[in-house]
Amino acid sequence: MLLSVDSINVYYGRIHAVRDISFEVAKGEVVTLIGANGAGKTTILQTISGILQPKSGTIKYEGVEIQNKPAYKILQSGLAQVPEGRRIFTNLTVRENLEMGAYTRHDKEGITEDLKKSFSRFPRLEERRNQHAGTLSGGEQQMLAIARALMSKPKLLLLDEPSMGLSPLLVQEIFRIIRDVNEDGTTVLLVEQNAQLALSVADRGYVLETGKVIMSGGAKTLLVDERIKAAYLGGEA
Amino acid sequence: MYFLVQLINGLQIGSIYALIALGYTMVYGIIKLINFAHGDIMMVGAYLALLLLNNGIPIIPAMLISMAGCAIFGIIIERLAYKPLRKSSRLSALITAIGVSLLLQNAAMLVFGSAARTFPDLTKGMPSFQLGSNSVNILTVISIVLAIVVMIALQLFVTRSKAGTAMRAVSEDTDAAELMGINVNTTISMTFAIGSGLAAFAAILFCMAYPQVTPYMGAMPGIKAFIAAVLGGIGVIPGAMIGGFILGVIEALTKAYIPSGYSALSDAVVFAILIIVLLVKPSGLLGRPQREKV
Ligand SMILES: Nc1ncnc2c1ncn2[C@@H]1O[C@H](COP(=O)(O)OP(=O)(O)O)[C@@H](O)[C@H]1O
Ligand SMILES: [Mg+2]
């Protein structure tokens, strides 16, 4: 397993946000965590990335426990995140944002090469490369957030609700990119409220409710599951 | 000519304010703390330089050693006093900063005594030139130029280098910066080191103009520099530089042109300008309007 999360518990003060959650991601997979607002999805990703520490439980990445490592070391080991709400650096230029994505790398030529790759994948970013990132549209900011995370050459990419606040057309584009990134060999852990969409790209899924895993299985199975249909794929989807 | 001399005086004191203001603004930018002990770090720098000079170390190495010493000292203060409070309320950090300030002043008094010590006259043996009936020492001009060079170098570092860009990233969003693999603790230490080193540099320029070293010498320039930082837009590096120079020049000119019995008015003028600027532009001259983080 590339990532194994084993019975982690995460608290905010007295709030028990993540309860005994376990799941796994194998190399090459797209795995999705779905669940309503407040289910604990963001908390899980922040804990994997080292921004939060679990009170108990272990997180193994490539067989090594990482739950007590600082965030910058976790990134260095090949695990990058596209955080909820994009969190791009609005006062930095597009190019500087991408350079920060490559912060831990020292191979100048490789970075230049990957900058070119980002720009060919996201031509809109190239046009705006010297603009402050805060001037970008919502969709462009999401693309920048993804491109920035990819600049570290991650083996595992965590994405937290990349579809949030985007038009249906842009959402489709973002998901096409996610598929593309996965086909290039990057393993993906995708968090979404939009279950239909997430399950349509994922190999497997875990369904969360108030901090617990209540169901898991192959994406195709979950997609047709009556309970999931009722709870998450209802009228709007 | 008199005006020109006063302008040079203003630029000299302004460059000192600007250098100290940079420390306030950089630290505020990165951890949103008004480091009230910053003026006292300048005082520590002055004592360090004084000790070195009195032991026969020439000025340039004395200055560099004092800057390095203060840089390390700034890192230690942050680690011991502020880091444990990083997740606490801003008020507790602020109160801690005031505590550190009092601690440094009292420690200095204990070690060096409260009597003022005289800083060696560095202008001795340096050439002067005449402007009308006033003579201006070449060292005054050199110190202004040197301060400006240091500030330009800092600006280039912050805007062009990878470490400087990381510093700006941390100041905007600490968690996101950490997700990029930036070691936030190291970046914060670096910020304190640079700010404190600049304060030590300012201390020597200050002692050239007012050759007295006391445990409380950091208080007044500290407050003025803080005002300069707010005036320019706290958190904005060029703002601190411009704010410092504006403040210094206004102060020198008001002192020069207000009848001597009313010289206290010059401080009133400084505060009045600050209030007017903040009424018109609450974020300061170069400040960006505050945007709430989500
Ligand atoms: N910073 C925080 N402080 C306190 N409680 C929080 C914080 N962030 C999230 N929570 C709580 O933790 C639970 C899980 O939140 P979150 O992980 O953001 O869920 P999701 O991403 O699935 O919407 C929620 O009940 C939320 O209110
Ligand atoms: Mg969330």
Side-chain angles (χ1 to χ4, degrees):
Chain A
M1 281 299 150
L2 186 61
L3 180 79
S4 332
V5 174
D6 189 12
S7 329
I8 56 165
N9 285 283
V10 188
Y11 291 77
Y12 293 101
R14 275 197 218 92
I15 301 168
H16 195 173
V18 168
R19 299 162 186 262
D20 256 333
I21 282 191
S22 305
F23 63 90
E24 294 181 322
V25 181
K27 198 165 182 306
E29 274 190 314
V30 177
V31 172
T32 181
L33 306 178
I34 52 184
N37 199 8
K41 307 180 297 294
T42 298
T43 307
I44 294 171
L45 291 198
Q46 295 293 74
T47 309
I48 296 172
S49 282
I51 300 287
L52 297 170
Q53 268 69 48
K55 197 159 206 172
S56 62
T58 59
I59 301 171
K60 278 190 186 156
Y61 174 73
E62 293 186 313
V64 181
E65 288 191 14
I66 59 166
Q67 72 272 9
N68 295 319
K69 284 196 185 171
Y72 71 91
K73 288 226 166 108
I74 292 176
L75 181 281
Q76 281 174 14
S77 61
L79 202 160
Q81 185 186 151
V82 179
E84 183 176 67
R86 298 153 201 144
R87 307 279 285 267
I88 54 159
F89 303 113
T90 56
N91 299 327
L92 270 53
T93 65
V94 167
R95 198 198 157 94
E96 285 171 336
N97 267 276
L98 294 172
E99 284 165 358
M100 286 297 101
Y103 182 78
T104 56
R105 292 173 58 185
H106 300 287
D107 53 325
K108 264 217 161 89
E109 281 118 57
I111 294 173
T112 313
E113 186 81 354
D114 284 343
L115 262 177
K116 273 194 208 136
K117 249 192 236 165
S118 304
F119 286 144
S120 65
R121 188 176 251 151
F122 304 100
R124 315 263 298 172
L125 297 183
E126 176 159 36
E127 291 164 30
R128 288 162 175 65
R129 65 177 179 276
N130 293 321
Q131 264 172 250
H132 279 204
T135 64
L136 299 183
S137 72
E140 288 161 355
Q141 292 193 3
Q142 188 64 65
M143 298 192 187
L144 177 58
I146 296 174
R148 182 181 67 172
L150 290 173
M151 285 301 291
S152 68
K153 291 194 154 202
K155 292 177 223 161
L156 174 59
L157 183 66
L158 314 178
L159 291 138
D160 196 346
E161 301 211 37
S163 72
M164 193 198 269
L166 299 185
S167 70
L169 212 65
L170 277 170
V171 171
Q172 282 197 357
E173 176 151 6
I174 295 285
F175 274 74
R176 186 185 55 72
I177 290 161
I178 294 172
R179 238 181 244 125
D180 205 50
V181 166
N182 179 245
E183 274 160 22
D184 281 357
T186 309
T187 308
V188 174
L189 176 59
L190 169 68
V191 153
E192 266 294 343
Q193 277 191 58
N194 189 332
Q196 174 108 55
L197 205 59
L199 290 170
S200 72
V201 294
D203 299 305
R204 293 186 303 112
Y206 294 82
V207 184
L208 303 177
E209 209 173 274
T210 55
K212 284 191 190 131
V213 175
I214 54 161
M215 210 186 295
S216 64
K220 293 206 177 68
T221 324
L222 291 176
L223 209 43
V224 298
D225 189 284
E226 291 304 325
R227 287 164 297 175
I228 296 199
K229 267 190 186 162
Y232 302 103
L233 307 176
E236 44 166 2
Chain B
M1 277 303 149
Y2 181 66
F3 175 81
L4 203 59
V5 173
Q6 293 310 323
L7 189 67
I8 292 175
N9 283 343
L11 290 176
Q12 185 185 18
I13 187 73
S15 65
I16 295 166
Y17 292 158
L19 288 168
I20 306 173
L22 282 168
Y24 275 110
T25 228
M26 288 171 76
V27 164
Y28 182 84
I30 210 146
I31 55 170
K32 305 292 172 282
L33 166 76
I34 310 285
N35 180 15
F36 271 113
H38 189 58
D40 304 295
I41 295 192
M42 173 205 155
M43 173 270 293
V44 171
Y47 274 108
L48 256 175
L50 179 66
L51 285 181
L52 293 164
L53 289 170
N54 284 349
N55 281 295
I57 313 253
I59 179 65
I60 303 282
M63 183 166 89
L64 294 176
I65 295 171
S66 158
M67 287 172 73
C70 275
I72 293 167
F73 193 55
I75 293 174
I76 294 173
I77 289 177
E78 193 275 327
R79 285 283 150 126
L80 294 182
Y82 302 146
K83 191 176 174 219
L85 294 171
R86 226 180 263 163
K87 298 239 154 71
S88 318
S89 78
R90 285 209 212 161
L91 189 63
S92 23
L94 193 69
I95 291 169
T96 306
I98 294 172
V100 171
S101 166
L102 293 174
L103 180 73
L104 292 181
Q105 291 177 5
N106 286 302
M109 198 148 79
L110 212 66
V111 177
F112 303 108
S114 58
R117 299 194 181 195
T118 309
F119 200 81
D121 184 6
L122 300 173
T123 58
K124 226 189 304 182
M126 297 290 279
S128 303
F129 58 92
Q130 288 297 126
L131 272 181
S133 56
N134 299 77
S135 93
V136 175
N137 193 278
I138 192 80
L139 206 55
T140 306
V141 179
I142 291 176
S143 74
I144 296 169
V145 173
L146 206 56
I148 293 173
V149 169
V150 167
M151 287 183 235
I152 292 172
L154 177 72
Q155 179 65 8
L156 288 177
F157 168 75
V158 171
T159 54
R160 303 282 166 83
S161 75
K162 188 165 156 180
T165 308
M167 207 168 193
R168 286 181 289 139
V170 172
S171 92
E172 183 173 342
D173 189 334
T174 310
D175 284 350
E178 220 166 341
L179 287 177
M180 301 299 107
I182 296 169
N183 184 339
V184 170
N185 288 332
T186 307
T187 308
I188 293 175
S189 291
M190 183 178 77
T191 308
F192 270 83
I194 293 173
S196 305
L198 292 178
F201 181 44
I204 288 159
L205 301 190
F206 188 82
C207 290
M208 268 161 57
Y210 311 93
Q212 298 255 303
V213 182
T214 73
Y216 303 111
M217 67 178 287
M220 211 46 204
I223 289 174
K224 293 275 174 64
F226 171 62
I227 293 173
V230 174
L231 183 71
I234 188 114
V236 184
I237 287 175
M241 303 178 188
I242 288 169
F245 279 112
I246 290 178
L247 210 67
V249 168
I250 290 172
E251 200 181 290
L253 292 182
T254 49
K255 272 199 182 124
Y257 289 102
I258 288 173
S260 57
Y262 301 91
S263 68
L265 269 178
S266 86
D267 284 346
V269 171
V270 164
F271 279 102
I273 287 169
L274 177 73
I275 291 169
I276 293 168
V277 168
L278 293 186
L279 282 176
V280 178
K281 202 162 177 294
S283 53
L285 290 173
L286 301 188
R288 295 186 202 88
Q290 268 299 237
R291 228 171 314 125
E292 281 304 316
K293 275 188 196 168
V294 274

